[in-house]
Amino acid sequence: MNTLNQITLLLFCIVFLNLTYAQNGKDQVRNPIVVIDPGHGGKDAGASTRNGIKEKDIALGIASKIVVLNSKLIENPLLLFLTRYTDTLISLSDRTELSKKLKADIFISIHCNQAINRTASGTEVFIHPKSEVQAEKSAYLGFTIQKGLADILGIKKRGLKYGNFQVLRNSSSGSASILLELGFLSQTDEAIYLSKEESQSAVALVILQSIVKFLGL
């Protein structure tokens, strides 16, 4: 799917949601809207493992699995959208614009890390506070996901940090917004782990469970 077709699809989703809400009435309670942003894509591969597995593919693999698990495991599924569904480069502004148009409750940008120090490992969560309330929501979302990955999968926590990333700077002030670094592709064990399909499924499940917990569903 090329970029134009993908953007057209996303715009259709936005129009469909607006029509659905209008038909259901203002008092109709909608399911929470979650936007997952698989980092990089297309010519922007991001980081890579020693054997050439790319960050863009790992991020998309995990994000896609979250979509599948959401439809299969949750009784009243989240309204879940990806900023890209294929190996396509989407501009940073379009990623955040989608979240704003959808009035998303949650925005999560998924990435993998890389460092000169090949012993560096673990997850990092970045937020860019826009207000005290938004900062609290974002921090709690990040904490919940990071704790789940540590407690269930044993992935080391590197903590919550401030990040001046465009997808966070330009995110909606009403959304809990985080950038999640899932591990270091420069660290051998984490690179091998994140490259496996079963590991990606496990990470996707923990992220989905953590979102549900955050939302109190």
Side-chain angles (χ1 to χ4, degrees), residues 47-61:
S48 62
T49 66
R50 291 184 181 183
N51 60 351
I53 296 177
K54 299 174 178 61
E55 176 185 358
K56 66 175 184 177
D57 297 324
I58 294 174
L60 181 59

Side-chain angles (χ1 to χ4, degrees), residues 113-130:
N113 229 328
Q114 194 166 36
I116 296 175
N117 177 8
R118 293 190 178 275
T119 64
S121 63
T123 61
E124 292 179 326
V125 173
F126 293 91
I127 66 171
H128 190 284
K130 296 179 177 297

Side-chain angles (χ1 to χ4, degrees), residues 30 35 93 95-107 128-131 133-135 137-138 166-178:
R30 66 166 173 81
V35 172
S93 58
R95 295 171 194 250
T96 53
E97 189 63 22
L98 174 65
S99 180
K100 289 177 181 177
K101 292 291 187 183
L102 291 171
K103 295 181 172 59
D105 300 284
I106 289 174
F107 175 85
H128 190 284
K130 296 179 177 297
S131 67
V133 172
Q134 194 265 355
K137 290 195 298 184
S138 299
Q166 184 175 337
V167 290
L168 296 182
R169 285 199 313 269
N170 294 351
S171 65
S172 170
S173 58
S175 300
S177 303
I178 66 170

Side-chain angles (χ1 to χ4, degrees), residues 140-171:
Y140 180 57
L141 173 63
F143 170 81
T144 303
I145 293 175
Q146 198 171 58
K147 186 176 188 300
L149 292 169
D151 292 351
I152 299 172
L153 301 180
I155 302 175
K156 176 183 174 182
K157 294 184 293 184
R158 294 174 64 91
L160 185 72
K161 304 176 181 181
Y162 170 84
N164 190 28
F165 298 103
Q166 184 175 337
V167 290
L168 296 182
R169 285 199 313 269
N170 294 351
S171 65

